[in-house]
Amino acid sequence: MIYTVTLNPALDYIMELKDFKLGKTNRSEKEQLRVGGKGINVSVMLSKMGIQSCCLGFVAGFTGAKIREYVNENGLRENFVNIADGMSRINVKLTGLGESEINATGPKITEKEILCLKEKISGIKDGDILVLSGSVPFGVRDTIYAELLQLHKGKNILTVVDAQKDFLVNTLKLKPFLIKPNADELGQIFGVKINGYETAFIYAEKLQQLGARNVIVSLDKLGAVLLDENRKRYIQKAPEGDPVSSVGAGDSLVAGFLYEYIKGSDLEKSLEVAVKIGSATAFSYGLAEKGDIERILAEYEK
């Protein structure tokens, strides 16, 4: 079983605007309400590829109830921890004039609620896959992902981490199987600008020196690179197309990689499929549709 952990899920309110004036009343051309959260996105995309997974994390208030409803309506399994106070986030995302967003902080999580999540995650068994991804609610310490990985130290569990700054770096001593920073996140860790394949490999190697086994760096229109645990380099260019939004593209890449890898494919082919699936979402208004995914996967099954 694949378990995805989303500590800070949200409702994303997406508005498309042709113009925006600060301090004035602005009206959108189109609106959409989506459930957001990187781990949930991974689970949704896996489901579209016929792979079952279970969503874990925290939900709170009426927005949390909506998130749980969405997960169940999409045929996903879930075992969220209900937070007593506050509500899950509502994020505002503006498109049409580039991409801008205002992301809420999320509810405050108590130590008791963290222990409840740890108890659920402790039940994961040998042979399972654990995906930890996304931002963290207010007040949660930056070692939380490392603590969750520590629960399975010594077990035969495939672990994936897609998080920012110290939340990612603190997991590396536990040698996660795969990490997936994007160019901006990788640059933030080292205080540099990642401007191409070569610099991505240079700083991916530094993450390996800290303990990561396999490192994928997603590079937007350039595609992605993979530095495997034997220091072998792979480059996968993105297919041609017109990007609509980057929201969910990285999560779709992770889902595509896992789909292909657990079938028994090598890292190179898994990366190729991953970039195609990630690009399908980048070319869509929302996560890629099932039909688009099926057409991409059919290319590799001939």
Side-chain angles (χ1 to χ4, degrees), residues 2-10 35-47 51-57 67 70-71 76-77 80 89 130-135 145 160-163 248 250-252 254-255 258 287:
I2 299 175
Y3 294 86
T4 64
V5 177
T6 309
L7 297 181
N8 207 13
V35 169
K38 295 177 71 64
I40 292 174
N41 288 343
V42 172
S43 281
V44 170
M45 292 299 290
L46 285 170
S47 178
I51 304 295
Q52 182 61 270
S53 63
C54 180
C55 299
L56 300 170
I67 291 167
Y70 169 87
V71 165
L76 307 177
R77 295 180 59 184
F80 290 116
R89 301 181 296 160
L130 178 64
V131 181
L132 306 172
S133 57
S135 65
Y145 283 142
V160 180
V161 183
D162 181 6
D251 311 321
S252 300
V254 170
L258 288 174
L287 297 176

Side-chain angles (χ1 to χ4, degrees), residues 26-275:
N26 298 276
R27 299 191 183 278
S28 64
E29 299 288 323
K30 183 191 297 184
E31 305 88 30
Q32 185 181 24
L33 185 66
R34 292 209 309 255
V35 169
K38 295 177 71 64
I40 292 174
N41 288 343
V42 172
S43 281
V44 170
M45 292 299 290
L46 285 170
S47 178
K48 291 181 179 184
M49 290 181 271
I51 304 295
Q52 182 61 270
S53 63
C54 180
C55 299
L56 300 170
F58 300 115
V59 293
F62 77 97
T63 46
K66 184 67 176 177
I67 291 167
R68 189 188 291 273
E69 176 185 317
Y70 169 87
V71 165
N72 288 316
E73 285 178 350
N74 279 271
L76 307 177
R77 295 180 59 184
E78 54 89 359
N79 194 10
F80 290 116
V81 175
N82 281 311
I83 303 304
D85 298 319
M87 66 180 191
S88 296
R89 301 181 296 160
I90 299 176
N91 297 331
V92 179
K93 301 182 183 292
L94 306 179
T95 64
L97 298 169
E99 290 184 34
S100 300
E101 52 190 76
I102 304 171
N103 288 345
T105 302
K108 186 174 182 179
I109 310 298
T110 67
E111 189 62 29
K112 181 178 179 181
E113 290 157 344
I114 290 174
L115 290 174
C116 184
L117 177 64
K118 286 183 175 180
E119 183 178 347
K120 294 175 184 290
I121 291 178
S122 294
I124 296 175
K125 300 179 176 63
D126 281 0
D128 288 336
I129 297 172
L130 178 64
V131 181
L132 306 172
S133 57
S135 65
V136 171
F138 176 77
V140 174
R141 51 193 173 269
D142 61 17
T143 58
I144 183 62
Y145 283 142
E147 292 172 34
L148 297 180
L149 290 188
Q150 184 69 38
L151 297 172
H152 300 291
K153 188 175 181 179
K155 292 184 182 178
N156 181 28
I157 290 175
L158 211 63
T159 55
V160 180
V161 183
D162 181 6
Q164 294 185 359
K165 295 186 178 179
D166 289 345
F167 293 99
L168 172 64
V169 173
N170 288 333
T171 69
L172 301 184
K173 60 187 177 183
L174 294 162
K175 303 186 183 304
F177 170 75
L178 176 69
I179 62 172
K180 194 218 69 67
N182 61 34
D184 288 341
E185 291 164 345
L186 181 58
Q188 288 170 11
I189 291 171
F190 295 104
V192 298
K193 183 174 178 60
I194 306 300
N195 53 16
Y197 302 127
E198 184 59 31
T199 52
F201 280 124
I202 289 171
Y203 288 95
E205 185 171 349
K206 291 182 182 296
L207 293 179
Q208 276 193 336
Q209 291 168 357
L210 293 173
R213 292 172 57 191
N214 300 286
V215 183
I216 293 178
V217 182
S218 54
L219 298 167
D220 199 17
K221 295 179 182 179
L222 292 177
V225 301
L226 167 62
L227 183 64
D228 77 10
E229 55 192 319
N230 298 312
R231 303 294 174 88
K232 187 171 182 181
R233 296 179 170 193
Y234 303 91
I235 295 174
Q236 180 60 49
K237 295 182 179 180
E240 293 184 3
D242 297 319
V244 175
S245 171
S246 64
V247 176
D251 311 321
S252 300
L253 186 153
V254 170
F257 182 90
L258 288 174
Y259 167 84
E260 193 64 29
Y261 186 78
I262 63 179
K263 284 172 52 182
S265 295
D266 61 20
L267 293 174
E268 184 174 19
K269 184 176 180 182
S270 298
L271 178 67
E272 184 178 357
V273 172
V275 171

